[in-house]
Amino acid sequence: MKLVVQVRLLPTPEQAAALEATLRAANDAATWVAALAHTQRVFRNYDLRRHVYGQVKDRYGLAAQAAQHVIKKVADAYATLHAHVRNGNLGRPGSARRERVLARPIVFRPGAAQPFDDRCLSWRMDARTVSIWTVGGRMKGVAFTASADQLTLLAAHRKGESDLVCRDGRWFLIATCDLPDVPVRAPDGFVGVDLGIANIATTATGTGDGVRHSGKTLNAVRHRHRELRRRLQAKQTKSARRLLKKRRRKEARFAADINHTIAKRIVTEAARTGRGIALEDLQGIRDRVRLRKPQRVTLHSWSFHQLGHFIAYKAARAGVALVWVDPAYTSQACSACGHVAKNNRPDQETFACTSCGFAEHADVNAARNIAARGETGWAVSHAA
């Protein structure tokens, strides 16, 4: 399996200026290549290389490997764009949004990430420095810092490309680590995970008690940040804009930390009890669900995909079985008798079966249904 490790670079002012000039040149070249690809309708990597490789080197002073990475970055960006178009993520055919996106070429920010392979970037783990190619020549002795776990992971498993990123004036290298696959153990039952907004995650087995990870703190933080952004944007002063810039990504970092904590607890408990994990496949839920305007902000700030991704990769590292299940009617079906009815759930947190009288917290009941579907899905997929 592949993991990424983010390390902080500590360049001197001269080194930072060289890195900034390199990123700017690479992204200016990428924007020029993207415009040419859009005009001539050439999007494949090797076809595009025949058109622009020499010009990219001459115009922007890039070395051979850097020029090839720029061209590949453009080809990958258009491949992602066309995949979004095919999947309908940019609207239906003929819609204004879809036509507007397809009518103009891709543009790269001056500080967008730029990949470096082992020919352009070398690591010295003992000295905690890197040697990296820049437009001004090879630059050696750029210091970096990382945690002890990150250093161990880098020394043992780093392989492939690393991305140079400048974020809010700070420099990072995002390195790829190729870890050996851990054999998945045959699960002794499943833990169902119901994802929500009032409760970020609720876990339960088929018959056991549930554990609820409340979203009260996260929702309060999101509300506070949203109100603060609204007031600062209304002021329209330099100090307000400066504070907005300073606080950006703060909410996202807080939410990611909570999701990491919840995912670690779920995977650790599943590994301790020898169970697998059953997760809802909620892809496309934002397009399916129709809500009133005050509720849309809450839905679109719901980071269920991130939490699912965290649980998935932590489970793979621990050798815990993971199954994605259909979430349809898990909140309306009775986990005791299987009766499905909308009236089974009179409010957000109450479940009371109108057929057998079974009563439970609504999220715990849904988690039990997900666990049962996980066991069925595992049995079907491993029947041979």
Side-chain angles (χ1 to χ4, degrees):
M1 63 176 296
K2 292 186 181 298
L3 289 179
V4 295
V5 175
Q6 178 178 277
V7 300
R8 172 85 180 273
L9 290 180
L10 304 172
T12 63
E14 295 77 13
Q15 292 172 338
L19 293 176
E20 183 179 0
T22 302
L23 267 193
R24 183 174 296 276
N27 287 299
D28 287 347
T31 298
W32 178 79
V33 173
L36 189 143
H38 181 268
T39 302
Q40 299 189 6
R41 314 305 297 172
V42 178
F43 302 113
R44 290 181 70 249
N45 182 22
Y46 293 104
D47 296 340
L48 196 55
R49 188 177 299 175
R50 287 198 299 268
H51 283 76
V52 300
Y53 174 69
Q55 298 179 66
V56 167
K57 292 177 61 180
D58 296 337
R59 282 190 176 207
Y60 299 96
L62 301 182
Q65 285 298 111
Q68 293 189 27
H69 281 302
V70 164
I71 296 169
K72 186 177 183 299
K73 182 167 75 170
V74 173
D76 291 344
Y78 274 112
T80 301
L81 174 63
H82 295 156
H84 282 308
V85 171
R86 287 194 304 272
N87 294 333
N89 298 333
L90 299 177
R92 298 177 181 177
S95 65
R97 181 190 177 195
R98 180 168 176 165
E99 295 300 322
R100 184 171 63 252
V101 171
L102 292 177
R104 57 191 181 191
I106 293 176
V107 176
F108 292 85
R109 293 179 293 104
Q114 175 65 19
F116 289 81
D117 60 15
D118 288 342
R119 297 182 183 181
C120 305
L121 175 70
S122 57
W123 298 74
R124 289 194 59 190
M125 303 303 301
D126 53 346
R128 294 193 186 180
T129 61
V130 295
S131 171
I132 186 170
W133 176 88
T134 69
V135 290
R138 190 83 177 192
M139 187 166 60
K140 299 180 180 180
V142 183
F144 71 89
T145 183
S147 67
D149 291 340
Q150 288 176 323
L151 291 173
T152 302
L153 198 62
L154 284 171
H157 302 292
R158 191 202 63 80
K159 186 177 181 181
E161 295 179 352
S162 302
D163 288 349
L164 176 66
V165 181
C166 182
R167 190 181 300 138
D168 296 334
R170 293 179 292 182
W171 292 92
F172 299 93
L173 276 175
I174 303 175
T176 303
C177 294
D178 195 355
L179 279 69
D181 292 333
V182 178
V184 177
R185 298 184 297 272
D188 182 19
F190 274 81
V191 176
V193 182
D194 178 64
L195 305 179
I197 296 174
N199 291 309
I200 299 175
T202 303
T203 61
T205 59
T207 56
D209 296 332
V211 177
R212 300 196 298 273
H213 301 274
S214 175
K216 184 176 181 180
T217 301
L218 178 59
N219 291 333
V221 169
R222 289 193 188 280
H223 178 74
R224 186 167 67 250
H225 278 265
R226 188 162 58 245
E227 288 300 307
L228 180 58
R229 284 195 300 269
R230 181 184 62 78
R231 293 198 302 268
L232 291 174
Q233 289 167 356
K235 283 183 176 294
Q236 296 184 351
T237 61
K238 286 185 178 181
S239 60
R241 287 193 290 270
R242 187 164 56 245
L243 185 56
L244 280 170
K245 184 177 180 181
K246 181 181 178 181
R247 296 182 63 86
R248 65 177 181 173
R249 300 195 185 96
K250 191 171 183 178
E251 178 184 334
R253 289 195 300 268
F254 182 81
D257 180 69
I258 287 182
N259 283 339
H260 268 299
T261 302
I262 293 174
K264 187 174 182 179
R265 289 176 180 172
I266 292 172
V267 173
T268 301
E269 181 64 19
R272 185 186 67 83
T273 57
R275 299 178 182 273
I277 298 174
L279 275 174
E280 300 173 281
D281 184 4
L282 296 175
Q283 185 175 4
I285 190 172
R286 290 190 175 97
D287 297 326
R288 296 194 302 269
V289 175
R290 295 292 179 266
L291 295 174
R292 294 182 294 112
K293 192 171 183 179
Q295 297 173 310
R296 293 174 192 167
V297 174
T298 303
L299 175 67
H300 287 282
S301 62
W302 181 26
S303 55
F304 65 88
H305 176 78
Q306 185 186 70
L307 177 57
H309 171 70
F310 288 170
I311 293 174
Y313 92 80
K314 292 178 190 294
R317 291 193 68 181
V320 174
L322 179 71
V323 176
W324 298 90
V325 303
D326 184 2
Y329 303 107
T330 53
S331 62
Q332 298 178 12
C334 177
S335 59
C337 70
H339 175 66
V340 179
K342 191 173 183 180
N343 294 333
N344 285 350
R345 190 170 180 178
D347 55 54
Q348 187 274 326
E349 55 180 42
T350 305
F351 182 90
C353 182
T354 57
S355 177
C356 69
F358 172 77
E360 181 56 274
H361 191 282
D363 293 341
V364 174
N365 176 76
R368 289 180 179 175
N369 289 328
I370 294 168
R373 293 188 184 186
E375 293 187 18
T376 304
W378 180 268
V380 170
S381 61
H382 292 73

